C-alpha cells in the first residue's frame, strides 16, 4: 500500500460495535471482565486502550514496521529507550540534538551510570573511535535540531551491524513521509508526535516504532511499568492529524524551499541551514535518504548579534515566537535562549549554534505572505 493510502487507512477499522468510521475516543480507564482474567485484550487503559492501539498500529504502518508504542511526550519515549540500558552501558549520541534530549541524557541518566559520548556523526570515524565492548546504543536525529545537519542512517547502521548495538533515529523533523529509518537499518524510530504527526499544535505526545518483537516487548514493558502514556483524546487527535500528513508535508516542503531560497539571497542573512541547497555539506545524503527536505530552516543574521535576531523575531507578524514546530502555522524560535538553553554555550558554539541563529518552522500558509513577512521583518 502506498503512503497516502496508509496515512488514511492503516491501523483504523470501522468500530466493531457501531460501524463508526472514525475510531471513537475510548474515554475509559478500565474494561469489564465477565470472569477474572477473561477480557477482549483490554484490561486497564495504562496497559491498553483501543484509541491508542489504533494510533500505534497506524504509526507502525507508516514506518513499515509491525510495532508502535505511544508515550505521553517525545521525551517520555526517549526515556523508555534509555531504560533498556544498565549502569555502565555506553551511548554514542550525535552532538547536535534537541536541547531536551541532551538534558535527559546529561542531567537525568548520567547519574544512573549511563555514559554518553557526544560526537559529530557526519564523520563516521568519530563514531568508530567511541565504540567499545560497553557500547549499547547509537542515538541520532536527522535532520538535526536546529542545525539541519544530515546524518547518513545507512552508514551509521552498517558501522555497528552485528555488534549488539542498537541504532535509534529521532525522525521528528523528517516524518515517515520523507524518511523511513528502519528501512535504512536503524532498530528504533522515535518521534515527537507533538510536531508534524499531530500537525496542529494541539497535542504533546511521543512514539517509538520497531521491527523486532523482543525489542517491542521490552519497550512495552517500560511503557506499562512506568506509565507515561497518552490519553485517548490525544490519540484521536493524532489519528485525525495523520490522515493529512502527506498533504501537509508536501506544502511544508514547497513553502520551505521558497523561504530558504528567499533567505539565501537576503543581504542581511549570513547563513541559511537547509538540506535542499546543492551546497549543503550533506545534500547528497539528504537526496539519498529523504523524499524531500521538509519545512524546517535555520539562519543567522550578519554580525551574530542576539539583539538583531530578537529584533527580527519581534517584528514578525505571521511567524509566531514559540517553542515547538511542525504545526500548520509558521513559528520562529531562538534556539540559544529557548529550545536549546539547556545546552552549555561552549557546546552550542562548537556546532555553530550562534546567538544570532533563528529557527523557522515554515507552515502551510500562502508562501507569498510568509515571504512578505520575512521581508518586512528583515528591513
Ligand atoms: O516535546 P516532546 O514531545 O517531549 O518531544 C521532544 C523532542 C524530541 N525530539 C525532537 C527532534 C524535538 O524537536 C523535540 C521537541 N522539540 C521542541 C519542542 C522544539 O521546539 O524543538
Amino acid at each position: 500500500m502506498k503512503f497516502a493510502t496508509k496515512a488514511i487507512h492503516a491501523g483504523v477499522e470501522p468500530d466493531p460495535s457501531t460501524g463508526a468510521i472514525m475510531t471513537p475516543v475510548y474515554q475509559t480507564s478500565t474494561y469489564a471482565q465477565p470472569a477474572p482474567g477473561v477480557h477482549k485484550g483490554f484490561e486497564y487503559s495504562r496497559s491498553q486502550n483501543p484509541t491508542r492501539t489504533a494510533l500505534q498500529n497506524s504509526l507502525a504502518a507508516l514506518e513499515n514496521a509491525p510495532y508502535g508504542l505511544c508515550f505521553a511526550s517525545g521525551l517520555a519515549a526517549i526515556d523508555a529507550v534509555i531504560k533498556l540500558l544498565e549502569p555502565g552501558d555506553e551511548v554514542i549520541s550525535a552532538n547536535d540534538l534537541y536541547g531536551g534530549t541532551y538534558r535527559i541524557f546529561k542531567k537525568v541518566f548520567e547519574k544512573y551510570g549511563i555514559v554518553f559520548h557526544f560526537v559529530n556523526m557526519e564523520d563516521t570515524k568519530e563514531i568508530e573511535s567511541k565504540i567499545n565492548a560497553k557500547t549499547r546504543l547509537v542515538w541520532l536525529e536527522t535532520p538535526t535540531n536546529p542545525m539541519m545537519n544530515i546524518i547518513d542512517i545507512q552508514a551509521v547502521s552498517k558501522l555497528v551491524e552485528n555488534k549488539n548495538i542498537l541504532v535509534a533515529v529521532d525522525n521528528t523533523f523528517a516524518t515517515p513521509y520523507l524518511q523511513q529509518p528502519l528501512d535504512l537499518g536503524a532498530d528504533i524510530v522515535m518521534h515527537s508526535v507533538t510536531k508534524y504527526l499531530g500537525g496542529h499544535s494541539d497535542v504533546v505526545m511521543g512514539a517509538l516504532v520497531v521491527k523486532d518483537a523482543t525489542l517491542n516487548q521490552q519497550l512495552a514493558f517500560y511503557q506499562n511499568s512506568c506509565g507515561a502514556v497518552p490519553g485517548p483524546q490525544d490519540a484521536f487527535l493524532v489519528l485525525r492529524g495523520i490522515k493529512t500528513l502527506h498533504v501537509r508535508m508536501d506544502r511544508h516542503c514547497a513553502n520551505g524551499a521558497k523561504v530558504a531560497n528567499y533567505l539565501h539571497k537576503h543581504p542581511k542573512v549570513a547563513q541559511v541551514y537547509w538540506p535542499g541547497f546543492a551546497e549543503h555539506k550533506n545534500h547528497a545524503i539528504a537526496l539519498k535518504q529523504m523524499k524531500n527536505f521538509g519545512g524546517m530552516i535555520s539562519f543567522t543574521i550578519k554580525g551574530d548579534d542576539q539583539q538583531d535576531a530578537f529584533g527580527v523575531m519581534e517584528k514578525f507578524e505571521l511567524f509566531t515566537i514559540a517553542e515547538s514546530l511542525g504545526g500548520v502555522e509558521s513559528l520562529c524560535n531562538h534556539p540559544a535562549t529557548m529550545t536549546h538553553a539547556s545546552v552549555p554555550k561552549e557546546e552550542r558554539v562548537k556546532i555553530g549554534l550562534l546567538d544570532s541563529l533563528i529557527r523557522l518552522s515554515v507552515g502551510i500558509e500562502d508562501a507569498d505572505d510568509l515571504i512578505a513577512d520575512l521581508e518586512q521583518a528583515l528591513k
Side-chain angles (χ1 to χ4, degrees):
M1 211 186 276
K2 298 248 168 89
F3 192 92
T5 314
K6 284 202 274 191
I8 290 162
H9 294 286
V12 182
E13 299 281 330
D15 182 52
S17 57
T18 62
I21 278 283
M22 296 306 300
T23 307
V25 181
Y26 281 91
Q27 194 75 49
T28 184
S29 60
T30 194
Y31 308 83
Q33 304 189 10
V38 179
H39 54 77
K40 298 175 177 168
F42 298 95
E43 296 155 278
Y44 182 61
S45 277
R46 172 165 33 73
S47 317
Q48 313 95 1
N49 175 281
T51 321
R52 193 177 90 211
T53 300
L55 174 59
Q56 293 182 157
N57 292 341
S58 164
L59 289 169
L62 295 184
E63 294 284 4
N64 298 328
Y67 307 108
L69 295 163
C70 289
F71 293 84
S73 67
L75 280 168
I78 297 172
D79 178 71
V81 175
I82 306 303
K83 282 174 176 154
L84 296 170
L85 308 180
E86 304 280 339
D89 285 351
E90 298 193 7
V91 180
I92 306 175
S93 167
N95 63 357
D96 180 12
L97 289 175
Y98 170 56
T101 307
Y102 177 84
R103 182 178 55 205
I104 193 173
F105 288 174
K106 286 292 288 181
K107 303 227 167 120
V108 178
F109 282 108
E110 262 188 7
K111 75 172 186 220
Y112 294 106
I114 313 285
V115 178
F116 294 89
H117 302 282
F118 295 92
V119 304
N120 173 9
M121 287 204 183
E122 291 164 302
D123 180 359
T124 45
K125 288 203 190 69
E126 286 210 23
I127 307 175
E128 249 175 320
S129 74
K130 297 293 180 205
I131 298 176
N132 64 47
K134 294 183 173 163
T135 312
R136 286 287 161 271
L137 176 69
V138 173
W139 185 279
L140 64 103
E141 290 173 9
T142 182
T144 62
N145 180 0
M147 298 313 299
M148 303 304 297
N149 287 317
I150 301 293
I151 297 167
D152 188 332
I153 299 170
Q154 203 160 25
V156 173
S157 304
K158 272 249 163 331
L159 197 65
V160 299
E161 210 173 23
N162 305 322
K163 288 197 167 82
N164 193 26
I165 299 172
L166 295 170
V167 174
V169 176
D170 180 335
N171 203 23
T172 299
F173 270 34
T175 81
Y177 181 57
L178 300 182
Q179 173 173 281
Q180 294 167 333
L182 299 175
D183 291 345
L184 299 169
D187 301 287
I188 301 173
V189 163
M190 176 261 151
H191 281 285
S192 171
V193 174
T194 316
K195 309 297 170 356
Y196 290 104
L197 292 169
H200 297 75
S201 305
D202 50 11
V203 170
V204 172
M205 194 190 291
L208 300 173
V209 182
V210 300
K211 286 195 168 166
D212 183 78
T214 308
L215 185 55
N216 174 58
Q217 268 170 13
Q218 290 166 338
L219 291 166
F221 172 80
Y222 290 110
Q223 183 197 39
N224 183 46
S225 303
C226 301
V229 292
Q233 176 74 27
D234 284 355
F236 174 87
L237 287 171
V238 175
L239 277 167
R240 171 198 268 227
I242 284 174
K243 289 184 195 292
T244 56
L245 177 64
H246 50 297
V247 183
R248 288 185 284 109
M249 288 314 291
D250 281 342
R251 180 64 84 88
H252 282 295
C253 292
N255 282 0
K258 286 183 188 163
V259 166
N261 283 304
Y262 170 80
L263 289 171
H264 200 43
K265 289 191 219 107
H266 200 286
K268 288 196 181 147
V269 171
Q271 190 80 39
V272 185
Y273 300 94
W274 179 65
F277 291 130
E279 67 263 33
H280 182 285
K281 57 188 170 183
N282 286 318
H283 179 65
I285 300 166
L287 277 179
K288 185 180 73 165
Q289 69 188 17
M290 298 175 75
K291 181 180 154 83
N292 204 333
F293 308 109
M296 297 302 297
I297 298 165
S298 295
F299 68 101
T300 49
I301 305 285
K302 278 191 183 147
D304 185 31
D305 185 281
Q306 178 168 306
Q307 282 317 313
D308 287 346
F310 281 12
V312 171
M313 292 173 70
E314 286 164 19
K315 285 210 181 66
F316 280 137
E317 284 164 12
L318 283 174
F319 287 89
T320 304
I321 302 173
E323 310 230 359
S324 205
L325 58 108
V328 289
E329 65 290 300
S330 292
L331 301 180
C332 69
N333 163 58
H334 185 252
T337 58
M338 294 169 66
T339 47
H340 291 69
S342 59
V343 182
K345 179 152 184 171
E346 62 276 16
E347 297 299 322
R348 291 203 305 263
V349 170
K350 265 191 224 162
I351 58 164
L353 200 172
L354 303 178
D355 289 343
S356 71
L357 189 85
I358 298 173
R359 190 191 71 186
L360 300 180
S361 172
V362 180
I364 62 171
E365 301 94 336
D366 191 294
D368 292 344
D369 290 331
L370 296 178
I371 286 169
D373 196 29
L374 290 164
E375 176 111 32
Q376 64 77 24
L378 281 161
K379 233 180 213 151

